[in-house]
Amino acid sequence: MTYAFDPEIAPAVPLLPKVSLDDIPAARELLKTVFAEMRGEVDTTGVAVRDELIPGPEGAPDVRVRIYTPDRIAAPAAILDVHGGGFIVGDLEIDHSNNVRFARELGVVVVAVDYRLAPEAPYPAPLEDCYAALTWVAKNAAELGVDPARIAIHGISAGGGLCAALALLARDRGGPAILFQYLGVPELDDRLETPSMRAFVDTPQWNRPRAEVSWDSYLGKGVRGGADVPVYAAPARAVDLSGLPPAYVSVMEFDPLRDEGIAYAQTLLASGVTTELHLFPGTFHGSSAVEHATVSKREAAEALAVLARALDV
């Protein structure tokens, strides 16, 4: 199928790495190499970075987090970052350069969580690891120099889906307060029935076949699309989103996740949650990696602006 990609992005499509999900461990190793080559050496000037093990969910292993503390603190606020990767790949390195940028340019503490991955650790393990990290940030707010009432959550793709689920879980458990949820191209719906999900079977980076592998890994084979999938696994199934923190939702034009992101934003609005929705034209899932493109620069600048406004920095 031919797609009307942004003219600054289109030339990069043939150059994108071809990563198969048939062998998930191999895909993880390949992506580590690809990200390292793309990112290069990250300049952490002005930001202290350290890794720490924190208590995991009851009966589960400790969770590794990476803490970014800027030399210049603009506000006693924090961002909890949840990386993407379809629930099955990815680690703290995916968002490393971005988290350094958030900490340095916003002047707030950033905590990134290295949650367990499916299929070895399916739902609810990744989400519970994220909840453990949120709880840890809130409990250790004083040591981190953070106001526990000024914690935002940020995630892209599966990370966006986990953030949406985290907001629901914190609401329903009476857990730590979340000031704001940033849901970038979120993966939310296991039913795979939206028009964009049905249409985009060969789009770069993410498409319906990959979504099938992702959800089968996260929920277990034969579970996706069934009647018993909880809203904390697939937040698109939630009808009542009232009481959730204000949200920003981004979607890409030629992304199978496009329509579920739009629908979730609409449900948030219908539930009385202040929500900003932005569709970036001519883009696909992960096209922001083409950093020189004007639309990618706009997306990156908007992320900073949205988080700065939400955290009041």
Side-chain angles (χ1 to χ4, degrees):
M1 186 171 173
T2 302
Y3 302 98
F5 293 136
D6 181 282
E8 291 183 293
I9 289 176
V13 173
L15 306 177
L16 294 171
K18 305 297 188 290
V19 180
S20 171
L21 295 183
D22 292 339
D23 184 338
I24 291 175
R28 290 172 184 160
E29 291 306 311
L30 177 57
L31 283 170
K32 282 183 182 180
T33 302
V34 168
F35 278 115
E37 291 175 350
M38 288 175 58
R39 186 184 64 242
E41 191 68 28
V42 177
D43 179 8
T44 59
T45 302
V47 181
V49 182
R50 76 180 194 274
D51 287 6
E52 189 167 329
L53 284 175
I54 66 169
E58 186 175 353
D62 288 345
V63 178
R64 187 163 67 113
V65 298
R66 181 167 294 171
I67 304 161
Y68 301 79
T69 306
D71 295 346
R72 178 194 68 86
I73 298 290
I79 298 169
L80 177 67
D81 176 71
V82 182
H83 71 77
F87 309 115
I88 56 177
V89 301
D91 55 25
L92 292 176
E93 300 306 321
I94 286 186
D95 290 346
H96 179 57
S97 59
N98 214 33
N99 287 333
V100 169
R101 175 170 160 261
F102 283 162
R104 183 164 50 217
E105 298 193 26
L106 294 173
V108 301
V109 172
V110 178
V111 179
V113 54
D114 192 19
Y115 57 87
R116 287 170 289 170
L117 298 175
E120 297 90 340
Y123 171 82
L127 176 59
E128 291 292 354
D129 286 354
C130 294
Y131 189 80
L134 173 66
T135 301
W136 181 84
V137 172
K139 284 184 177 179
N140 292 273
E143 291 82 357
L144 294 168
V146 169
D147 178 348
R150 292 174 74 175
I151 301 170
I153 57 176
H154 170 277
I156 305 294
S157 191
L162 284 166
C163 281
L166 184 58
L168 284 166
L169 198 61
R171 179 196 68 179
D172 295 348
R173 286 183 177 175
I178 297 171
L179 180 66
F180 186 79
Q181 51 180 329
Y182 185 106
L183 312 179
V185 292
E187 185 176 3
L188 301 160
D189 197 342
D190 67 294
R191 294 165 293 192
L192 310 184
E193 294 175 351
T194 65
S196 61
M197 184 60 73
R198 290 182 179 276
F200 299 149
V201 297
D202 61 352
T203 37
Q205 306 285 77
W206 201 249
N207 46 52
R208 184 187 174 91
R210 292 189 170 214
E212 291 172 349
V213 173
S214 172
W215 283 108
D216 285 346
S217 299
Y218 189 49
L219 300 177
K221 289 190 180 296
V223 176
R224 64 176 165 90
D228 299 327
V229 175
V231 298
Y232 309 116
R237 290 174 172 263
V239 176
D240 179 13
L241 302 181
S242 60
L244 293 182
Y248 171 87
V249 182
S250 68
V251 296
M252 305 296 136
E253 183 176 4
F254 301 110
D255 182 354
L257 302 179
R258 182 193 68 196
D259 294 347
E260 62 199 69
I262 293 171
Y264 197 71
Q266 291 176 317
T267 305
L268 284 164
L269 287 166
S271 298
V273 178
T274 299
T275 303
E276 180 175 354
L277 170 66
H278 192 149
L279 184 149
F280 289 92
T283 54
F284 54 85
H285 194 90
S287 62
S288 57
V290 187
E291 294 180 350
H292 70 270
T294 301
V295 67
S296 299
K297 291 178 180 178
R298 284 202 293 124
E299 182 186 355
E302 185 165 290
L304 279 172
V306 165
L307 289 167
R309 184 177 68 247
L311 294 170
D312 193 22
V313 297

